[in-house]
Amino acid sequence: MTVMEKPTAKMDAKKRYSAGVLKYAQMGYWDGDYVPKATDLQALFRITPQEGVDPIEAAAAVAGESSTATWTVVWTDRLTACDSYRAKAFKVEPVPNQPGQYFCWVAYDLVLFEEGSIANLTASIIGNVFSFKPLKAARLEDMYFPPAYVKTFKGPPTGIVVERERLDKFGRPLLGATIKPKLGLSGKNYGRVVYEGLAGGLDFTKDDENINSQQFMHWRDRFLYCMEGVMRATAATGETKGHYLNITAGTMEEMYRRAQFAREMGSVIVMVDLVIGWTAIQSMAEWCRANDMILHMHRAGHGTYTRQKNHGVSFRVIAKWLRLAGVDHLHTGTAVGKLEGDPMTVQGYYNVCRETKNAVDLQRGLFFEQDWCDLRKVMPVASGGIHAGQMHQLLHLFGDDVVMQFGGGTIGHPMGIQAGAIANRVAMETMVLARNEGRDIMAEGPEILRDAAKWCKPLEAALTTWGNVTFDYASTDTSDYVPTPVAS
Amino acid sequence: MRLTQGAFSFLPDLTDTQISAQIEFALAQGWAVSIETTDDPHPRNTYWDMWGMPMFDLKDAAGVMMELKAARTALPERYIRINAFDSTRGWETVRLAFIAHRPPVEARFALDRVEAEGRVQRYALRRVPA
């Protein structure tokens, strides 16, 4: 008998535990009648079974390989309350308009997971199953966490509300810029860009993901010059400013050392890259909580597993894990900029970051209702190929609680960095003002910007330079659900 | 120096019509509007002086505009800001704040430095005479 014959009904215990190889569905990893308990975690996978593999058996295999199963029967299962440890695939549906792909829903008992550990969660849910041979491809599309599990995490150390209160900035998006060129500047020259950007009107400037401690700029030098720029700009404007000091390093010991120095220098924020790993992220969240520090997360590397629709992990799941793990800022896409992201799908990520409860919203890729149990909100960051001319679109798509980061769109301004910052800040404030006055910014946006450009030369120059730049490519990661037309 | 705190400091000073429209917006969201004033706009000075209580049950921007005019008349040398507070669960904070009046001469800050070990500077912001 091969592993992938058509599954049959469950068997009696004697037959079930005879030595040999059984189908996963027969081993108890499929139960089409199962109703998830209120304390179960749930995962939704998109699977592409190999030719001839039954989708239900493939779904059972996913449940099995992400919980207790091994490839053969083991009698030692009978020393445990084994049925409760088995994940259960309970629903399989063809993906709309994607032949050969299926959505499968899997429920996991709460007992399977250690409290407060994303490393433990991910080792189960994405540990083995993505390499499983009977599947051509698999993608973790979404997850549901019951309150009993959510409450084992502390979540963001600062969150949107407290970040705004600390910075004393309300009622508008925050503005940032990544220092460019991202590699090669000395500490002294780098700090100059920080100062010019912040004095011009930005709230934050940012290290890029791969700025750590290279030969051209050691980390201590960077921190000293950046904080000089931050404090000078604060004095020049009377407004709290910050620079995301990237403390990513090769060891936790070194990251703590850098974080501690950032704190001593009076920085309000530090930054890490997603590639440091889940445990390191949770440790830095703990440190930030203990030290009143905002934690900025750059999602470096995520595109390797989030972008392709048929295989990997959706970014909405990564965003959920990060809200539990505890980051304050998270790069979540721009929809209109240079990086991947369809507007509805990106809005789904924003909702994961910011809402108290997520409703089911298939067009935005949210398959589960999710109560965040008052975990603090993560501030999304829109960064990558955006400019002042898109302000109405950005504000319309993302609202006020977002950091808009214009890197090239600030530093590349023909009149200089301060002018670039002024252009962005004026564009943003003028658009917020107009929206609050009840104007339709999606229709009138370009006109609102042109009117402001009449009294703001830097904005006029920005619109002239970039006004027509768009990155209009089809997204690879889009919703499979389109609105159903209703009969009129 | 133009103090750039608040949501609209990069725009020309708002007219009363514009201020009133922002207050209408805030009230439409169900937020409570309040007025605060200070002669010390240091960024760490969180607690500006309250010009009365937040106007929790107010429905019309005209009431706030009346208070704003009274505050301006009484305290023309101070900064005056409008706050809009959202008491929704999970927010329970200010959702909009902007400066509605500036003193004739704006505040200025200097940066004090103290040398510390390893080229470290300890910074402090100090208000300087205009």
Side-chain angles (χ1 to χ4, degrees):
Chain A
M1 181 173 72
T2 69
V3 183
M4 289 300 161
E5 284 169 18
K6 188 82 183 161
T8 57
K10 282 187 204 167
M11 318 160 94
D12 65 62
K14 186 159 186 250
K15 216 168 148 196
R16 163 66 178 82
Y17 294 102
S18 316
V21 177
L22 276 179
K23 290 185 276 288
Y24 286 85
Q26 289 174 319
M27 289 195 280
Y29 298 104
W30 164 257
D31 182 351
D33 298 324
Y34 185 74
V35 178
K37 300 192 294 291
T39 52
D40 282 353
L41 281 77
Q42 293 179 49
L44 171 68
F45 293 90
R46 173 200 301 264
I47 54 173
T48 313
Q50 298 278 10
E51 303 299 328
V53 174
D54 180 84
I56 286 184
E57 173 60 8
V62 167
E65 287 295 324
S66 58
S67 60
T68 54
T70 186
W71 61 279
T72 186
V73 172
V74 291
W75 66 269
T76 43
D77 267 350
R78 304 194 77 179
L79 304 177
T80 69
C82 52
D83 191 54
S84 62
Y85 296 105
R86 286 187 195 116
K88 290 173 192 65
F90 61 94
K91 186 160 82 165
V92 173
E93 278 181 3
V95 177
N97 306 311
Q98 299 285 336
Q101 294 187 5
Y102 298 86
F103 284 132
C104 77
W105 281 258
V106 181
Y108 301 83
D109 193 286
L110 190 57
V111 73
L112 294 169
F113 304 99
E114 179 176 345
E115 316 79 55
S117 169
I118 299 290
N120 171 258
L121 174 76
T122 52
S124 272
I125 305 290
I126 60 170
N128 270 345
V129 64
F130 288 73
S131 313
F132 193 55
K133 279 182 177 171
L135 301 178
K136 272 190 219 162
R139 187 184 203 222
L140 180 56
E141 288 285 341
D142 202 359
M143 283 200 79
Y144 165 74
F145 306 105
Y149 186 71
V150 173
K151 289 297 280 183
T152 67
F153 288 88
K154 291 185 186 170
T158 314
I160 290 177
V161 169
V162 175
E163 170 169 356
R164 285 193 174 281
E165 291 186 345
R166 268 189 214 159
L167 300 176
D168 189 29
K169 296 171 196 283
F170 306 99
R172 63 169 176 86
L174 303 179
L175 267 190
T178 309
I179 304 303
K180 304 283 175 184
K182 57 191 201 175
L183 297 170
L185 291 170
S186 69
K188 177 169 180 281
N189 296 332
Y190 195 89
R192 163 62 73 182
V193 186
V194 170
Y195 170 70
E196 297 292 328
L198 295 177
L202 304 183
D203 301 298
F204 289 121
T205 48
K206 172 178 172 294
D207 286 343
D208 223 332
E209 73 282 0
N210 50 357
I211 279 285
N212 298 149
S213 193
Q214 286 96 324
Q215 292 300 349
F216 49 81
M217 179 169 59
H218 290 162
W219 70 272
R220 244 185 96 90
D221 230 22
R222 182 170 91 254
F223 285 24
L224 285 166
Y225 282 115
C226 286
M227 287 313 297
E228 176 74 16
V230 168
M231 296 312 298
R232 285 263 286 108
T234 302
T237 60
E239 199 185 355
T240 304
K241 305 279 182 179
H243 176 84
Y244 318 155
L245 293 166
N246 189 350
I247 58 169
T248 300
T251 62
M252 283 311 293
E253 290 77 6
E254 185 61 19
M255 285 208 289
Y256 285 129
R257 195 172 297 134
R258 294 178 191 184
Q260 190 63 31
F261 190 64
R263 174 182 177 275
E264 284 166 22
M265 292 296 300
S267 183
V268 296
I269 186 163
V270 293
M271 155 182 171
V272 292
D273 294 334
L274 183 57
V275 290
I276 67 173
W278 294 106
T279 300
I281 291 165
Q282 285 195 255
S283 288
M284 286 323 305
E286 278 290 326
W287 185 91
C288 286
R289 187 176 267 261
N291 289 279
D292 268 4
M293 193 69 86
I294 302 168
L295 182 57
H296 179 95
M297 165 60 63
H298 184 115
R299 56 177 177 169
H302 80 97
T304 53
Y305 47 87
T306 60
R307 188 175 188 189
Q308 297 303 325
K309 251 171 99 166
N310 65 337
H311 191 81
V313 180
S314 162
F315 189 74
R316 79 183 60 88
V317 176
I318 302 296
K320 287 184 176 184
W321 293 345
L322 285 168
R323 185 162 177 186
L324 294 172
V327 301
D328 294 316
H329 283 190
L330 175 60
H331 289 240
T332 30
T334 63
V336 296
K338 69 177 179 182
L339 301 178
E340 167 70 27
D342 136 78
M344 298 285 270
T345 306
V346 171
Q347 281 180 330
Y349 310 154
Y350 277 67
N351 292 348
V352 164
C353 289
R354 299 189 301 199
E355 288 182 343
T356 311
K357 286 180 184 164
N358 299 136
V360 172
D361 186 347
L362 296 181
Q363 288 181 58
R364 289 182 178 79
L366 301 177
F367 289 83
F368 299 106
E369 192 178 312
Q370 177 67 53
D371 184 346
W372 288 101
C373 302
D374 299 294
L375 276 194
R376 289 182 173 184
K377 305 173 206 296
V378 177
M379 181 79 86
V381 178
S383 178
I386 54 176
H387 56 79
Q390 298 163 320
M391 188 56 74
H392 50 296
Q393 295 167 298
L394 292 165
L395 190 64
H396 173 76
L397 282 167
F398 304 133
D400 287 349
D401 290 299
V402 57
V403 187
M404 296 180 183
Q405 299 219 151
F406 304 85
T410 303
I411 297 157
H413 194 282
M415 293 158 67
I417 299 167
Q418 290 209 22
I422 291 168
N424 291 324
R425 182 84 176 254
V426 168
M428 187 255 283
E429 293 192 358
T430 205
M431 201 59 69
V432 171
L433 188 86
R435 179 203 59 191
N436 294 0
E437 286 172 351
R439 295 179 68 179
D440 176 358
I441 58 171
M442 281 307 275
E444 301 174 48
E447 182 196 333
I448 292 166
L449 290 174
R450 276 195 303 274
D451 285 347
K454 284 177 193 158
W455 56 265
C456 179
K457 288 285 168 212
L459 180 56
E460 183 188 30
L463 296 177
T464 307
T465 309
W466 297 301
N468 297 318
V469 176
T470 57
F471 296 90
D472 202 6
Y473 301 99
S475 290
T476 57
D477 186 12
T478 52
S479 169
D480 295 289
Y481 295 91
V482 289
T484 314
V486 285
S488 50
Chain B
M1 176 195 106
R2 185 172 174 88
L3 187 80
T4 61
Q5 296 174 18
F8 304 122
S9 286
F10 274 69
L11 306 181
D13 286 347
L14 302 190
T15 64
D16 279 4
T17 311
Q18 287 175 310
I19 293 170
S20 181
Q22 294 302 311
I23 295 167
E24 293 287 0
F25 165 77
L27 295 174
Q29 314 304 308
W31 301 340
V33 176
S34 67
I35 296 174
E36 294 180 344
T37 77
T38 194
D39 57 6
D40 174 23
H42 188 288
R44 287 301 290 267
N45 177 17
T46 304
Y47 305 115
W48 290 24
D49 296 326
M50 294 167 72
W51 181 266
M53 305 270 282
M55 295 169 234
F56 287 111
D57 301 310
L58 192 79
K59 297 278 177 279
D60 187 347
V64 183
M65 294 308 291
M66 217 170 69
E67 290 297 329
L68 176 61
K69 282 187 182 117
R72 274 183 187 146
T73 309
L75 304 166
E77 308 289 320
R78 287 188 156 212
Y79 287 93
I80 303 178
R81 72 183 173 196
I82 307 278
N83 291 340
F85 193 96
D86 179 3
S87 62
T88 308
R89 167 92 168 254
W91 286 107
E92 295 150 300
T93 188
V94 174
R95 297 297 294 277
L96 174 65
F98 60 94
I99 293 176
H101 176 83
R102 292 169 186 271
V105 180
E106 294 232 26
R108 281 178 56 223
F109 297 97
L111 198 58
D112 285 340
R113 294 184 167 79
V114 177
E115 302 288 340
E117 283 177 20
R119 296 183 60 241
V120 167
Q121 304 267 303
R122 306 263 175 240
Y123 298 103
L125 237 55
R126 180 171 46 86
R127 177 82 180 270
V128 289

